[in-house]
Amino acid sequence: MAPPLAGFITAPADTYYIRGFMAGKQAPLPELLAPSGSMDSLVAAVNAGADAVYIGGKRFGARKYSANFSDEELCKALEYAHLRGARVYVTVNTLVHDRELPDVARYLRDLYAMGVDAVLIQDPGVAMLARDVVPGLPRHASTQCTITSAEGVAYAKRLGYDRVVLAREVPLHEIDRIFSLPQKKRPGIEVFLHGALCYAYSGQCLLSSVIGGRSGNRGACAQPCRRDYSLLAGTADSWGRMSRARAVPLKERCLLSTRDLCLYSKLPLLLERPFSALKIEGRMRSPDYVAVVTSIYRRALDAAASGSFVPLQSEMDLLAIAFSRGFTSGYICGDHGPSLMGRDRPDKQGLFLGTIRSCHGQVVRVAAAGGTIPAPGDGLVGIDPATRAESGFVLKSAVEQLGRDLVIRQSTGCRPGMELYLTRSGALERAAAAVRNAQGPAGRFPVQIDVTLTVADGEPPVLLGVFALPGGDEVTVRREADFVPERAGARPTTSEEITRQVAKSGGTAFRVRNLDLLYNGGLFLPVGALNRFRRQFFDQAEQALIAWHRPGRAMREAADCHLATLLPVLARKRARNARSPELAVICNKTAGVIAAARAGCDRIFFEPDPGALEADLLQALAGCTERKVRFAWKWPRVQVPEFTARALSLLPGLARAGLEEVMTEGAMYADPICSVVPRMRVSGGPDLNVFNAVSVRSLFQDCSSVLLSPELSGDAITDLCS
């Protein structure tokens, strides 16, 4: 049968969540965090039941080519979301040049004044600016920060981050190690739940930058991992270059393309851990995609909260139709290697319906793979598994079911042996449109308000409302009518009539919980005037609700003062003293270390094979000491806990042998290193992605020196050094 679409619109009116907590329940649910690349997508996400959305402005966001939000659109997005109980996080998560720092500082001040709930940050310099300019604005460490360990999480807490978005590559056992940290030593933890995966660690990929000059760290990734590649084999010449290259025949062509993450069926496993948020990827996706995926996970989380969640194949099918390159449970649930990869095609695959058995004239017979039957108007495509040739068509009439086979009676252009996929569902699009076009604030997020209406002879009626905000604060709203009731002639307005009109709150953010009417009778209140008065009151209450999300005047003025103090510092250039730089070499073999030392380099960073750490390090250290060359042990780009534990255990002995420096790709390891060998010098490697002078200053407490990002141009380095 076709996937059931009944109940696609997410929630009954009497079920709602406030900041991730189900009304009437004790146990918190993680926040469901949905992507929004446009206003239409934000509306879809909020109406579908997202607790929060993450969006980007026109600048400094890691999705440069999505629609994104102007400052005016950001204000509208905040109002829409806040009136419906949803939070808004803004991405400021690109690496930033020194010349851009003043604009970033102003942008952070503006976001704070608008009432943004948090900002996502990658650049350590931007994080430092946010701390100094708008200390009251929560900061989330973007997945671009490549935080993969308990040490990284503890370091983020020390820097004042409120939340860490873990790298997608962190396995569940390491997440458990993170949650073993005392709660006061870790910020909130967020993980990806659904969507695209990268072939490299987020924040560590330079492929787009190298191939086409479009930096993923600057928000301009060209997705080279989704392109066709050939595998070459050959022999190495004396310089290590490939010679006599030959192509290796392979069935697949998209050798770097990954499948999409889908943890729908793994929700119970995730909910055993105290995650702050579960995140859907997809700011480049359509509003319909956002509506479908958010709705499915909202239903699943609601069911899990009540103890009734059972994964449904029909829901998995809907997720596949919305967008899929094939699904994987990802590193978090133990998928590795081939199970992560979707090397046959880089774009939307859709839902696999079956393999075409035969094509006779306009009769196509398909060996069905599941229970889904496409409907007229649906989009299908046949794909040749060998050549990847495609034939797409729109279904014109109902499909027949004969035993396990599906029979399509129309011209398709398909051939026997092709795999048939459902790529567009008309029913799903209509259901998604219903979510996106829902009128008024969603029923799951009404704010309970207690109202008192006073109606007295000779005076304008007065409405007084009191409602509680998340966290317990109360807001009082008072509105005086613009009319005075007259003494009634034949028929006075009754208390019941007044109550019925004033209690209507449909289309607003509120639901009237209690209504007290102080009225002695005998007056005439025109229905039109009473309705206008009610609308004015609820408009005023909504403005009060929106204003609560914004900082007060004193806090905004403090941010303006911080900004004014900082801008001259950011713009100031200093004269640089001429100096002769050192020549440094990074090696991964002891023979390379010795050759570099003999050739006259000043400094060597050595990253040995983990299999023979101590012996190789001692040999390389001795060779450098003999030639009076500075030597540092370089740790891996991303290290597993087993390496960290072993490396820390070796440090005291290596220090006694003369080791004076360790280079790490994460400043979070400075504290553990210095706790073992207090005087050990720690330097930062190129994967810290240092892009500006403020980042250098922010790392100075932990790193005595840093290597700059390899993506910096000569002019940018000149700016930084000034």
Side-chain angles (χ1 to χ4, degrees), residues 301-580:
L301 283 170
D302 290 355
S306 65
S308 61
F309 174 68
V310 176
L312 300 175
Q313 185 59 48
S314 59
E315 299 280 56
M316 286 290 292
D317 291 349
L318 293 175
L319 291 170
I321 297 168
F323 190 93
S324 167
R325 299 181 181 95
F327 286 137
T328 173
S329 298
Y331 286 97
I332 191 171
C333 290
D335 278 2
H336 296 280
S339 61
L340 284 170
M341 306 306 294
R343 297 188 175 107
D344 52 341
R345 59 185 298 113
D347 51 4
K348 181 176 179 177
Q349 176 177 288
L351 175 65
F352 178 54
L353 295 178
T355 303
I356 296 176
R357 289 186 189 273
S358 62
C359 301
H360 298 295
Q362 293 196 355
V363 179
V364 179
R365 193 160 180 143
V366 182
T372 297
I373 301 175
D378 288 353
L380 290 84
V381 61
I383 302 174
D384 189 311
T387 66
R388 291 168 60 191
E390 298 184 4
S391 181
F393 61 96
V394 175
L395 200 59
K396 297 177 181 177
S397 58
V399 172
E400 298 177 33
Q401 189 171 16
L402 297 177
R404 291 287 300 166
D405 286 359
L406 304 178
V407 178
I408 299 171
R409 299 186 182 277
Q410 71 178 72
S411 177
T412 65
C414 294
R415 300 186 300 272
M418 277 187 163
E419 296 172 345
L420 190 63
Y421 291 86
L422 173 61
T423 58
R424 185 177 67 83
S425 165
L428 196 59
E429 289 177 357
R430 290 189 292 274
V435 173
R436 293 191 288 109
N437 297 326
Q439 296 299 311
R444 64 187 303 111
F445 292 116
V447 176
Q448 306 289 333
I449 187 169
D450 296 324
V451 178
T452 301
L453 172 60
T454 303
V455 181
D457 189 7
E459 297 180 7
V462 174
L463 271 170
L464 188 71
V466 179
F467 60 91
L469 294 163
D473 294 341
E474 285 193 345
V475 175
T476 299
V477 179
R478 184 183 184 278
R479 182 82 187 190
E480 187 175 282
D482 58 4
F483 69 94
V484 176
E486 299 176 355
R487 296 297 303 177
R491 185 181 176 278
T493 305
T494 66
S495 296
E496 291 75 14
E497 290 171 329
I498 296 173
T499 300
R500 184 167 57 250
Q501 294 301 320
V502 173
K504 295 177 181 177
S505 60
T508 77
F510 298 93
R511 177 183 297 156
V512 176
R513 181 171 58 183
N514 297 307
L515 174 58
D516 292 331
L517 175 61
L518 306 179
Y519 173 51
N520 292 325
L523 302 177
F524 173 70
L525 285 78
V527 172
L530 194 56
N531 286 340
R532 183 178 68 251
F533 178 36
R534 182 196 68 234
R535 288 193 296 269
Q536 291 170 343
F537 169 77
F538 280 117
D539 285 346
Q540 184 174 328
E542 287 187 339
Q543 291 306 309
L545 179 57
I546 292 168
W548 176 80
H549 287 272
R550 297 173 182 152
R553 179 178 176 180
M555 299 175 75
R556 295 196 304 272
E557 289 176 348
D560 290 342
C561 183
H562 295 153
L563 178 65
T565 302
L566 191 61
L567 286 177
V569 177
L570 295 177
R572 188 180 306 143
K573 295 290 184 73
R574 293 178 173 84
R576 292 184 291 117
N577 297 324
R579 58 174 296 182
S580 178

Side-chain angles (χ1 to χ4, degrees), residues 626-637:
E626 180 183 345
R627 291 168 179 81
K628 298 182 180 179
V629 175
R630 289 177 61 188
F631 177 85
W633 176 14
K634 184 181 182 303
W635 284 12
R637 295 180 69 181

Side-chain angles (χ1 to χ4, degrees), residues 45 96 171 178 181 183 199 207 255 277 279 346 373 500 621 678:
V96 175
I178 288 168
L181 292 170
Q183 191 166 356
Y199 92 101
L207 187 59
L255 302 184
K279 184 174 190 174
I373 301 175
R500 184 167 57 250
L621 177 59

